Each structure stands twice: as C-alpha cells, then as structure tokens.
Amino acid sequence: MTVFKTLDDADASGKRVLVRVDLNVPVANGEVTDATRIERVAPTILELSKKGAKVILLAHFGRPKDGPTPEFSLKPIAQAVSKVIGHSVQFAEDSVGDKAAEAVARLKNGDILLLENTRFHKGEEKNDQAYVEALAALGDIYVNDAFSAAHRAHASTEGLARALPAYAGRTMEAELQALEKGLGNPKRPVVAIVGGAKVSSKLDLLGNLVQKVDALVIGGGMANTFLAAQGVNVGKSLCEHDLAATAREIMAKANAANCTIILPVDAIVAWHFEANAPFHAYGLDAIPDDGMILDVGPQSIERIKAAIDDASTLVWNGPLGAFELHPFDHATVAAARHVAARTKAGHLVSVAGGGDTVAALNHAGVADDFSYVSTAGGAFLEWMEGKPLPGVDALTKR
C-alpha cells in the first residue's frame, strides 16, 4: 500500500491546521437535510481541536460560476457543523485575504474556523499557484479528510498538499485502508457487483475490474446490453444496442483474464415503469416483445448469492434493478442483505460506494453492516476505474 502520514504523525498542538473537508451537503430553506458528510469528518475536526490545534476548515459548496454568491455561501453550513460536532465553529467571509487572515489570527488553541467557499476564487479549480500560496500562508500543516474531492487536482486538494507538510485525516485514512482491502491488496476470491442503468457510463470501470476480480456480477439496465449482445431478446427494456460490440469485447477481456462474468439467467418483467406495476418472472428465452426487464429474477438472485458465498472480498457499485420502485428492489435488497450477513459473520470484506449504491444499501437497511461504505461518489468510481487520484497521490510520503 502507498504510505501516507496520518494524524498519528502530526504534531498539531498550537499549530494552524488547514483541514480540507467535504461539506458539499444538501440544503433546503437554509437547513442541511443530510449531515452524513459532516458526521464523517467530525472525528478529525474534534481530534485536532482536542490536541490544541487551531483548526481551519476548507471546503467547496456547489458550483458557483461568478465568484461569491449568497446561495453558495458556507455560512449556514458552519452552524450545521457546530451542531454535529458539539463545538462552536467560527466563520470567515473569505478563504484568503484580509478577512481570512484576521479570522485566523484571532484563533486560540482548540478553536475551529470555517473559511468561505474555496470555489468563490477561480484559482481553486485551476490549482493556481498564487491561490495555493495564499491558502498556505494561513496554515502550518495541511490535513486532507475529503476523499470525495481527491479525484480533482484543485488548490485545496492537491496544491496545498505539496505546499505544506501533509497528512491524511481519519476519514481519508479509513477510506484508503478500505480501498486497499477492496482492490489494492484484497483477500481472494474477489467478486464485484456492478449495476446501474448504462454500460456507457461504466466502460472504464468494467475494463479495469475484469483484470482485477475473480468474478463480476452485472445487473441493472446495463445487464440488458450484455444480454442483447449475446442475442437475447430484451423487449422494450433499457438497452444500449449500439454498444453490443463493446459488451462482447469486455466479455472477451474477462475471459482472457480468467474473470467469470455473471449475467442474469432470468428476469422480472413489467409493462409500465412505475411502482407496483403488474409483473411476471420469465426465463431469458421468453422475454415478451412489449415487456421491460426491471429486475433480475429469482434464479439469478440465487446465483448471485452463491457468488457472494464463494467470495472473501466484495466491491459493489450500482443496483441490480429499478430499486427505487417496489417491488423491483427485491434483488438489490436480497443481495445486499446477503452481503451484510456474510460480512457480520466474518466471512467477507465488503466495500461499496457511489450515490445510487449508498441509497440502495440504506433502503435495504444494511449500510452499517458492510465493512465500508464510501460516500465519495465520483472519487470512488474513479478509484474503481483504476485512475490516479491527485489528492491522494499528493499525500504520499515524500
């Protein structure tokens, strides 16, 4: 595993510690509606505060186009952070310049300060050296606890890590350890479950996984593309028929790498894309021309469970069916609960991530029973695709 410095290596007492966190949380009517990302970074913030650091939080919020705008201000988020961590959080109305410098100068050991949205400055996303230096002037050391932003080479994620002594926060540390167990240096056999709507959005992912895992379960709408590529009539199902040749190439690559691809052997078909629509289970040789595959069938579920039973490590991205519509959530829920049971019994290391995946595992009531569930979205997907993550690479011990 790549070696990183962690908070265990940092002498933070009395130091100004710039901490990159992910506070890009959903807000409605000025109130945070889901504090999960704040909860994830709370341990790092509180540990540094208790060690006597002057904790200076850096974060982005939304995608502001034209500099400072009230709707993208982090000011309301400061109150939410304070509530979650049980500690007052001060706020500075800029991330650099006089307002930021004055706010930092007022800090006492143990104090916590949130700087305004880093994306209000164009230098953030451009990783501009002048902006990096302006940020670095506010701190003595840098801690990155935002894996979810680590796939971007921005000033506050990559530039600062090269400008100051850099450390991984506790959430970043936990994420990197989990990912190492998932694909970096996993206990074999490794099974991946990949679902979702479209093959086109996960070509890099599939291409990387077939070279790293022992078996690959493909579900969701993307399975229809693979089935159609093998000559199966998928009726009116969501299917990218133009990617048939690509699907066959991925299957050939898997075969060459001794990776078993597990596709559905039966399907749940409905005639309307809506909750509680009438449905019927069909074998693949009998899919009606006017039907839509909305979930994998009972035989497929048993086959997926058998693959899970054979695995020592499992990585998961994407649902197996239209899980947001009952009863087409059945396969996703059944597989998720089977993974959770195997994990709790100590037979499986399970790592999952991606927006729909987190929602599906929460829906199944088992997110807390997996070894690790990443809330990182794009960064988690790029890691599964085998792409370098600039914010992580910059933390490597030098």
Side-chain angles (χ1 to χ4, degrees):
M1 180 178 177
T2 309
V3 182
F4 307 89
K5 290 182 180 177
T6 70
L7 295 190
D8 296 329
D9 304 303
D11 176 15
S13 179
K15 301 279 179 63
R16 300 171 303 162
V17 183
L18 291 166
V19 187
R20 180 54 160 96
V21 290
D22 182 359
L23 301 180
N24 199 25
V25 293
V27 174
N29 301 317
E31 296 289 325
V32 173
T33 56
D34 182 351
T36 303
R37 286 182 167 177
I38 300 173
E39 291 161 2
R40 284 279 175 106
V41 297
T44 292
I45 297 169
L46 289 171
E47 180 177 339
L48 288 167
S49 174
K50 285 172 184 172
K51 285 180 174 176
K54 297 169 182 176
V55 185
I56 304 154
L57 305 179
L58 297 167
H60 75 277
F61 183 59
R63 297 179 179 275
K65 294 280 191 288
D66 304 307
T69 34
E71 68 174 305
F72 293 117
S73 174
L74 280 169
K75 193 167 188 177
I77 312 295
Q79 297 168 6
V81 175
S82 178
K83 187 176 178 181
V84 168
I85 68 175
H87 190 296
S88 65
V89 176
Q90 301 172 41
F91 182 72
E93 293 180 355
D94 202 346
S95 55
V96 291
D98 292 342
K99 289 179 180 177
E102 289 163 10
V104 169
R106 288 194 295 267
L107 292 177
K108 299 182 181 68
N109 292 354
D111 283 355
I112 301 167
L113 169 71
L114 173 60
L115 301 182
E116 183 57 283
N117 193 341
T118 55
R119 288 190 181 174
F120 283 172
H121 290 268
K122 286 187 165 57
E124 161 70 332
E125 293 183 79
K126 292 179 179 177
N127 202 2
D128 178 73
Q129 188 59 31
Y131 184 59
V132 170
E133 290 172 3
L135 287 172
L138 301 173
D140 302 304
I141 63 177
Y142 169 76
V143 172
N144 192 342
D145 212 28
F147 177 81
S148 52
H151 57 311
R152 299 187 174 103
H154 291 177
S156 69
T157 60
E158 199 265 356
L160 268 179
R162 302 194 185 280
L164 292 173
Y167 305 85
R170 293 304 184 199
T171 302
M172 175 74 84
E173 180 185 358
E175 187 107 27
L176 295 175
Q177 287 174 346
L179 300 189
E180 181 71 2
K181 288 178 182 176
L183 282 183
N185 186 25
K187 186 178 178 184
R188 293 191 175 274
V190 184
V191 172
I193 296 177
V194 178
K198 295 184 175 182
V199 173
S200 55
S201 64
K202 298 192 176 179
L203 288 174
D204 291 343
L205 171 62
L206 295 170
N208 184 50
L209 286 179
V210 295
Q211 298 176 74
K212 290 197 170 182
V213 305
D214 301 291
L216 173 61
V217 175
I218 300 178
M222 61 196 306
N224 301 334
T225 301
F226 280 84
L227 293 174
Q230 293 180 314
V232 174
N233 171 34
V234 296
K236 291 186 176 179
S237 307
L238 177 66
C239 179
E240 294 174 288
H241 292 282
D242 58 323
L243 288 180
T246 303
R248 288 191 288 269
E249 285 172 17
I250 291 169
M251 287 188 278
K253 188 184 283 189
N255 187 51
N258 292 318
C259 169
T260 302
I261 288 189
I262 299 171
L263 290 167
V265 293
D266 58 346
I268 301 298
V269 174
W271 289 263
H272 304 285
F273 188 80
E274 59 188 37
N276 300 309
F279 67 91
H280 195 278
Y282 287 97
L284 294 183
D285 58 347
I287 306 294
D289 290 342
D290 59 347
M292 289 182 290
I293 298 172
L294 294 185
D295 202 3
V296 304
Q299 294 175 47
S300 301
I301 293 172
E302 291 310 309
R303 201 164 173 228
I304 292 167
K305 285 182 178 179
I308 294 166
D309 289 339
D310 289 341
S312 295
T313 303
L314 178 136
V315 290
W316 188 330
N317 176 260
L320 295 170
F323 82 97
E324 67 277 17
L325 303 176
H326 181 78
F328 310 111
D329 56 348
H330 180 68
T332 300
V333 169
R337 289 179 178 168
H338 197 68
V339 171
R342 296 283 297 170
T343 304
K344 286 174 76 175
H347 301 310
L348 187 66
V349 171
S350 51
V351 179
D356 281 351
T357 315
V358 177
L361 299 187
N362 283 328
H363 173 69
V366 296
D368 292 341
D369 297 326
F370 274 54
S371 303
Y372 194 82
V373 176
S374 172
T375 58
F380 180 83
L381 197 58
E382 291 200 17
W383 165 77
M384 283 188 78
E385 291 169 353
K387 294 177 180 175
L389 303 177
V392 171
D393 292 346
L395 291 176
T396 307
K397 274 189 179 178
R398 299 187 292 280

